[in-house]
Amino acid sequence: CHFHPRCPIAREGLCDVEDPMLKVSPQGPHHQAACWLRAGDLAIAAIWWPEVTIQRVGVIGGGLMGSGIAEVCARAGSHVIVHEIHAEAADAARSRVETSLDRAVEKGKLEPSDRDSTLERVEFSTDLSEQADRQLVIEAAIEDEELKKAIFADLDSVVAADSILASNTSSIPITRIATATSRSDRVVGLHFFN
């Protein structure tokens, strides 16, 4: 716990270096510290990563959910590439984002210049290899486990090893999706509501 000053386990004095359950792995570019705290029969893990600013986001699937995720990320300042399976679906995703931003301008929730700059930060593509430089890729495909696993296997071979792969699933265990990759420690659930 001494590797990260904001670790609540250390702050509360619950970390015991003599405890055989303590495992620290400060290797890697993110200097990860993993603390295991024995609580009865339950081992609780807290993993601390340094704060990272996500500037490049990929979204897989530009349906209602995916286009909304792309809009939120772009409005927050990230450059977003939305991947769709064919050009017509990519055009529909672009239309959803444009319509949503136009509504926000009409309601006075967004300045026209902010709409324009947000749209400049969103691209649409049918080429999965364009996700290669993304720091975070969020999958927003339909709730089909085999499809999601196939997407994650493809992403695993395309994006950088330190990229985070996220699923917006609401029902499929992330650990099952992560088995399709060689980086289960970099696969997370990141659920958005529409």
Side-chain angles (χ1 to χ4, degrees):
C1 291
H2 59 279
F3 286 107
H4 198 288
R6 291 183 302 159
C7 175
I9 295 172
R11 199 171 47 243
E12 297 298 322
L14 300 173
C15 189
D16 180 3
V17 293
E18 302 301 319
D19 188 333
M21 291 298 292
L22 177 68
K23 298 178 183 182
V24 178
S25 47
Q27 300 101 348
H30 301 291
H31 196 71
Q32 162 184 326
C35 305
W36 293 87
L37 172 65
R38 187 99 174 141
D41 291 330
L42 177 66
I44 304 169
I47 298 180
W48 300 97
W49 296 90
E51 291 182 23
V52 175
T53 301
I54 302 292
Q55 298 172 329
R56 297 178 313 278
V57 175
V59 177
I60 308 302
L64 183 61
M65 186 62 72
S67 60
I69 292 169
E71 178 184 342
V72 167
C73 293
R75 284 179 74 170
S78 295
H79 177 264
V80 181
I81 299 177
V82 178
H83 173 77
E84 261 301 350
I85 55 174
H86 52 74
E88 294 79 14
D91 290 343
R94 179 187 317 275
S95 178
R96 277 188 282 281
V97 172
E98 290 172 348
T99 299
S100 177
L101 291 170
D102 288 342
R103 263 195 313 262
V105 169
E106 289 168 12
K107 293 179 178 180
K109 295 182 177 183
L110 188 67
E111 292 297 321
S113 60
D114 292 332
R115 174 200 52 214
D116 297 343
S117 62
T118 297
L119 286 171
E120 289 173 7
R121 287 190 293 274
V122 184
E123 295 179 35
F124 299 84
S125 173
T126 58
D127 182 359
L128 193 64
S129 69
E130 290 189 23
Q131 301 291 327
D133 72 338
R134 304 291 92 181
Q135 297 167 286
L136 169 65
V137 181
I138 305 166
E139 167 273 316
I142 60 171
E143 288 293 293
D144 178 313
E145 184 173 341
E146 294 310 311
L147 174 62
K148 289 178 185 292
K149 284 181 175 180
I151 290 168
F152 274 76
D154 290 344
L155 287 170
D156 192 43
S157 67
V158 171
V159 301
D162 63 345
S163 296
I164 299 166
L165 301 179
S167 178
N168 187 54
T169 185
S170 57
S171 63
I172 302 167
I174 298 301
T175 53
R176 291 208 312 240
I177 295 170
T179 63
T181 74
S182 63
R183 60 176 97 195
S184 60
D185 61 327
R186 311 254 341 139
V187 178
V188 300
L190 189 60
H191 193 69
F192 291 79
F193 294 91
N194 60 9

